Amino acid sequence: VSEPLGTVNEPASRAVVVGGSLAGVTAVDALRCRGFDGHITLIGDEPYGAYSRPPLSKGVLAGLEPADSVMLPPPPAGVDVRVRTRAAGLDLQRRVVRLADGEEVPYDRLVIATGARARTLGGPAPATVLRDLDDALALRDRLRDATDVLILGGGFLGMEIASTAVRLGLSVTVVDLRLPLVGVLGPWLAGIFTHAARRAGVRIVVSPGGARPLEAGTVELRDGTRLSADVVVTAVGDRPNVEWLAGSGLALRGGVVVDARCRVSPEIVAAGDVAAFPDGGRLRRMPHWDAAMAQAKAAADALLLGEAAAAYRPEPYYWTDAFGLAVKIAGPLPVEGPPTSVEGSLEQGSALLRWDRDPQATAVAVNYHLSVAKLRRLTARAATA
Amino acid sequence: MRVAVDAGRCDGFGYCEQQAPEVFRLDDDGVVVVLLADVPAEFADRAEAATRACPVAALKVDP
């Protein structure tokens, strides 16, 4: 993976981007902004063009924002956008993407941005998940007629769904292996969410042995306890969409394996939830909004510049909005112990907090308007309050 | 090309400002302001890209 891949020599005239969501659309924009003037085809399997996913678990799920409010402006003029189109295979020798209907789309440069889908826990009934717009609209309609909801998974998504359901007046239970968010955020920061959730009436059930979905509406915890609700939502992470690449010869180990420049080969890159990066001897996906955007830009650079492109440097940035806590986070997670306050306080309802550590601090804005760039600046080692 | 903003949706991330600083800026309250609603051709690609880089779809484009 550390071997330089070199640069393709012949001029590129046809770029194909597989995956029509954030990473795919960003890659298209980045190719155009960096001067690529060849033909671009953007292939996505959803019935819609690109849309913004963060509101799906919030305003859209609550019924406050209509579906069309999340649609993003269509890609630049001249880009051939294919919706409802599923890629089914890749032929590296002939340089074609094979579509589900058998059509072949030739490429000189290929961006793999097929994202991920919701992970589920099995069981006899199909799981209810929230991943795409249709999921959100279907769950919105079901919550409208429900009195209680059980959410499996207390991560960002699970807690956002819980928060929305509470606002809709439902009785809400969240089940996880540990206290919600504690693994990703650390105990102090996770604690402000669990505190707010409980205050809002959410029942939090910690089941270290996990939970097993039974018939629709019922789950069984490891200790035999059974929980039931009108709706059971599974929010236990994601799995990369790599099946269409099976047999292609690409390295698929927990995602499409790329190098530090998002490259699979000189003419193929991957970005977003599907891409697995080398990280200290392991491979790591970074299925988050900001990472998808940054990777797509780095990937486009690498396609056009080869070795001369800058390597992708992860700059962790996350946000969530649940139980009245709009939280933006820059810097490494999880954080340990209490933060120092840069400004405000949680008691006052708005705070800018920092955990100082080497080589990079973690800065967190709670109900505090601060741009991504400014929050990141607070994570510099020398930053002072 | 013209760009427009739904300030009520803006959540102050500032990705648009990073993408096209000539066209978008966050004000002192962290809410986006459009500096050039009529986007000159030289900034058009990046301004358009900025509208698709909004996590809350607060920006719109009129060709």
Side-chain angles (χ1 to χ4, degrees):
Chain A
V1 178
S2 58
E3 287 286 303
L5 289 173
T7 310
V8 265
N9 294 319
E10 74 277 25
S13 61
R14 291 169 303 186
V16 172
V17 178
V18 185
S21 193
L22 179 65
V25 168
T26 303
V28 169
D29 274 319
L31 287 169
R32 279 282 186 258
C33 287
R34 284 148 174 75
F36 176 79
D37 59 3
H39 188 265
I40 300 179
T41 304
L42 177 63
I43 296 169
D45 65 355
E46 288 197 61
Y48 315 101
Y51 55 87
S52 163
R53 290 180 197 269
L56 298 184
S57 55
K58 309 175 187 90
V60 173
L61 187 61
L64 299 172
E65 298 175 25
D68 62 5
S69 70
V70 299
M71 294 298 163
L72 294 170
V79 174
D80 177 16
V81 180
R82 310 267 200 104
V83 297
R84 297 179 200 274
T85 304
R86 182 177 290 272
L90 172 64
D91 187 326
L92 295 175
Q93 273 67 48
R94 294 171 49 236
R95 289 190 177 181
V96 294
V97 172
R98 198 175 65 255
L99 303 182
D101 67 2
E103 185 189 340
E104 293 185 334
V105 183
Y107 64 86
D108 302 307
R109 301 287 189 277
L110 177 66
V111 179
I112 297 171
T114 39
R117 61 186 178 279
R119 185 181 154 246
T120 58
L121 298 174
T128 297
V129 299
L130 201 176
R131 179 78 198 174
D132 60 29
L133 178 56
D134 285 346
D135 293 337
L137 298 176
L139 183 56
R140 175 196 68 185
D141 292 346
R142 287 185 64 196
L143 292 183
R144 213 175 262 159
D145 301 324
T147 58
D148 53 8
V149 59
L150 182 59
I151 297 160
L152 303 178
F156 287 130
L157 178 63
M159 290 294 270
E160 289 171 3
I161 296 169
S163 172
T164 300
V166 158
R167 277 177 59 192
L168 292 170
L170 279 80
S171 169
V172 179
T173 302
V174 174
V175 180
D176 204 336
L177 305 171
R178 306 174 65 185
L179 279 170
L181 293 170
V182 76
V184 55
L185 296 181
W188 193 95
L189 200 49
I192 72 172
F193 283 98
T194 46
H195 178 73
R198 285 181 169 136
R199 206 176 44 198
V202 172
R203 177 183 173 212
I204 293 169
V205 175
V206 175
S207 171
R212 187 165 67 100
L214 301 178
E215 67 274 20
T218 305
V219 301
E220 185 178 69
L221 308 186
R222 189 60 173 269
D223 67 6
T225 309
R226 289 192 177 189
L227 304 173
S228 293
D230 294 334
V231 179
V232 176
V233 183
T234 303
V236 293
D238 63 343
R239 297 176 66 83
N241 293 325
V242 294
E243 289 73 9
W244 69 283
L245 296 165
S248 66
L250 293 193
L252 307 172
R253 292 200 301 278
V256 176
V257 178
V258 297
D259 73 2
R261 290 179 174 81
C262 305
R263 292 178 301 175
V264 173
S265 71
E267 69 275 3
I268 302 177
V269 292
D273 295 359
V274 78
F277 289 80
D279 177 32
R282 300 185 314 154
L283 291 162
R284 183 161 73 106
R285 289 191 307 120
M286 287 162 261
H288 297 281
W289 196 98
D290 183 90
M293 171 154 288
Q295 289 169 16
K297 290 178 176 179
D301 274 346
L303 272 191
L304 300 179
L305 303 173
E307 289 297 315
Y312 165 62
R313 196 168 55 88
E315 290 186 276
Y317 183 85
Y318 316 94
W319 74 90
T320 186
D321 191 344
F323 305 107
L325 298 165
V327 173
K328 296 175 178 175
I329 302 163
L333 287 174
V335 285
E336 297 296 329
T340 47
S341 171
V342 180
E343 217 173 303
S345 71
L346 291 181
E347 292 71 32
Q348 293 162 11
S350 169
L352 190 53
L353 309 170
R354 197 171 66 213
W355 281 259
D356 291 302
R357 48 180 188 182
D358 279 341
Q360 192 191 11
T362 299
V364 174
V366 183
N367 297 335
Y368 188 104
H369 256 233
L370 201 68
S371 70
V372 177
K374 286 181 176 167
L375 196 64
R376 279 202 167 119
R377 254 172 255 148
L378 282 173
T379 68
R381 188 179 170 185
T384 51
Chain B
M1 186 191 83
R2 290 184 61 82
V3 290
V5 58
D6 179 345
R9 286 186 80 90
C10 176
D11 212 0
F13 287 96
Y15 287 103
C16 55
E17 186 184 57
Q18 287 181 40
Q19 184 79 38
E22 303 86 352
V23 180
F24 302 99
R25 182 173 297 162
L26 296 193
D27 67 15
D28 291 342
D29 297 324
V31 175
V32 66
V33 203
V34 178
L35 302 176
L36 297 168
D38 247 318
V39 181
E42 55 187 312
F43 305 138
D45 282 353
R46 286 190 293 117
E48 236 195 287
T51 65
R52 286 181 283 274
C54 178
V56 291
L59 304 171
K60 304 291 175 216
V61 172
D62 296 319

